[in-house]
Amino acid sequence: MLAAQTICCIDGSFGEGGGQIIRNAVSLSTLLSKPISIQNVRFNRRPPGLRKQHEAGIRLAADIASAKTVGVHQGSTSVEFTPSRLELPRVLAADPGTAGSTTLLLQVALPCLLFSSSTSIESALTLRGGTNASMAPQIDYTLQVFLPFLRRRFGVDIGLKIVQRGYFPKGGGSIYCTIPPLSKPLQAITILERGPIKKIWGEARVGGLPVVIANKMKAAAEAKLIAKGLSSGLIRIDALRERQQDAVASGGGIVLWAETENGCVIGGSCVSTRDKDPSQVGEEAAQSLLDNLQHDECVDEHLQDQMIIFMALAEGKSTVRTGPLTEHTRTAIHVAELMTTARFTVEKIGSGAHTIACEGIGYKPAFECP
């Protein structure tokens, strides 16, 4: 009986001490029917405690898991989440009412909605908020890097449509996702050889602003990449201005991604802000990509932490080469090991590269607790 289960206590100040602990813990709690208590919520953020975005994510997971919650309100530093029965497929929506990132809301819901052995019907999810927000992967990163990774490596084909863009700082955008159910456990992955770069793509976008801003971001990013030795023939960056009806707020951003001959996709990005010249935004996106390419890693810094929950749930041993470990990744590993029987090993290779290996739990769609 669920009531007799021991509550898993989690210290929200561990590692990066931010929202990722909440997202991963709530997702795993939902899948494993394991009650959790999180103390010191967002301890390393100022101000600490839940923001509207985190509140919306927890309530979304609670809808999926028919969960009881305590302390789910803005500013709360203590949260309890007690899941019950998952009933899938579902048609769901979440809206923090702020510019909170839609991609971070997706990180909460996606693992929960993937597993359903009772039907072949997709779940559908509408998420509102910031699509190109600060302090989170932009929606274009999700489209061009994260979702292709899930499709190629784990065989998970998520549908995602941008209904309207919501640029930083106002937000107000909307995305629509379809999540097909899995009929068997995820299979372990091995990605150790990146291979040569065959193309660098990019999109510099603005909404409600002159297209010249997008052109400046594009030009600066191209110049930075070429100055660091990348051939101009490898680079294709488009400058785009959204139609008025396709963007709710004025703003912009640039996302770059490098494709390699072995099927790896490495990203880099930057969001436009009022205090940054467009050329600086383009240069910072290019530098982000260059930083993620310098250690021959097969996944970039954002994919590094997002893949951890899927490695933990997969069946068998996964091994992935990456760059320097981020605090987000260390935190994701900590939560996965705390809540499941998955075990990770991290090995440093040379000056900055690492391999992350995981013996996954082989989570089955029937919702048994492994």
Side-chain angles (χ1 to χ4, degrees):
M1 294 289 292
L2 182 61
Q5 281 189 278
T6 301
I7 295 176
C8 181
C9 297
I10 300 169
D11 182 359
S13 70
F14 181 89
E16 57 92 27
Q20 188 187 50
I21 294 176
I22 302 166
R23 292 188 291 273
N24 285 24
V26 166
S27 293
L28 288 170
S29 173
T30 297
L31 288 173
L32 304 176
S33 295
K34 182 176 291 189
I36 57 173
S37 172
I38 309 176
Q39 305 300 317
N40 302 318
V41 170
R42 296 184 71 251
F43 182 82
N44 294 341
R45 301 294 184 262
R46 294 294 177 266
L50 292 180
R51 301 294 92 193
K52 286 290 187 180
Q53 173 180 295
H54 311 103
E55 180 184 346
I58 297 171
R59 294 195 185 283
L60 175 58
D63 283 346
I64 296 170
S66 304
K68 295 180 180 179
T69 63
V70 176
V72 182
H73 56 81
Q74 189 169 2
S76 173
T77 58
S78 176
V79 170
E80 294 180 13
F81 185 91
T82 305
S84 182
R85 180 181 178 84
L86 281 82
E87 295 181 2
L88 299 175
R90 297 286 301 276
V91 176
L92 296 149
D95 182 1
T98 68
S101 169
T102 53
T103 61
L104 296 184
L105 287 173
L106 182 60
Q107 285 182 24
V108 178
L110 181 54
C112 305
L113 296 175
L114 274 177
F115 295 94
S116 173
S117 61
S118 61
T119 178
S120 61
I121 302 173
E122 304 175 320
S123 291
L125 183 61
T126 299
L127 301 173
R128 298 182 175 87
T131 59
N132 299 74
S134 63
M135 305 299 291
Q138 296 184 61
I139 194 63
D140 308 276
Y141 175 91
T142 299
L143 275 169
Q144 304 298 346
V145 181
F146 178 61
L147 294 186
F149 173 83
L150 291 184
R151 183 165 53 249
R152 181 180 180 88
R153 305 301 180 178
F154 287 111
V156 175
D157 194 7
I158 308 301
L160 191 154
K161 177 183 178 182
I162 303 171
V163 180
Q164 281 188 310
R165 285 183 182 265
Y167 284 103
F168 176 84
K170 186 175 180 180
S174 176
I175 65 172
Y176 177 78
C177 305
T178 52
I179 300 98
L182 294 175
S183 59
K184 58 184 180 181
L186 296 171
Q187 296 303 298
I189 60 173
T190 300
I191 319 172
L192 296 174
E193 297 290 337
R194 185 174 76 193
I197 297 170
K198 65 178 184 180
K199 196 72 177 179
I200 294 176
W201 304 90
E203 291 180 350
R205 289 180 172 272
V206 294
L209 297 171
V211 72
V212 66
I213 295 175
N215 283 321
K216 287 182 178 180
M217 289 190 287
K218 168 188 171 178
E222 288 174 338
K224 181 81 169 183
L225 294 173
I226 293 169
K228 293 297 182 178
L230 291 163
S231 169
S232 60
L234 291 176
I235 303 167
R236 178 176 173 179
I237 303 173
D238 295 324
L240 304 164
R241 184 180 187 275
E242 308 290 349
R243 298 182 303 170
Q244 184 175 356
Q245 63 268 34
D246 293 335
V248 176
S250 297
I254 177 170
V255 174
L256 309 172
W257 62 98
E259 295 181 359
T260 78
E261 291 184 1
N262 287 352
C264 298
V265 183
I266 312 292
S269 65
C270 188
V271 174
S272 179
T273 61
R274 291 186 180 131
D275 62 343
K276 284 185 183 178
D277 183 85
S279 295
Q280 183 184 353
V281 175
E283 289 177 357
E284 288 186 12
Q287 188 60 55
S288 172
L289 178 62
L290 291 165
D291 289 345
N292 283 319
L293 290 171
Q294 67 176 331
H295 298 292
D296 291 327
E297 51 262 64
C298 299
V299 298
D300 60 50
E301 61 181 336
H302 294 301
L303 196 50
Q304 183 189 106
D305 67 79
Q306 290 184 67
M307 72 182 180
I308 296 299
I309 191 170
F310 298 99
M311 293 173 72
L313 294 171
E315 185 174 60
K317 183 177 181 178
S318 296
T319 309
V320 180
R321 180 185 174 108
T322 184
L325 244 62
T326 67
E327 281 300 308
H328 279 80
T329 299
R330 295 183 193 278
T331 301
I333 290 172
H334 170 74
V335 173
E337 291 191 329
L338 187 65
M339 296 192 63
T340 76
T341 56
R343 289 297 172 260
F344 288 81
T345 57
V346 177
E347 181 181 355
K348 188 173 182 180
I349 306 170
S351 61
H354 293 75
T355 58
I356 301 175
C358 174
E359 287 285 352
I361 65 176
Y363 180 83
K364 295 179 176 58
F367 305 120
E368 301 106 2
C369 186

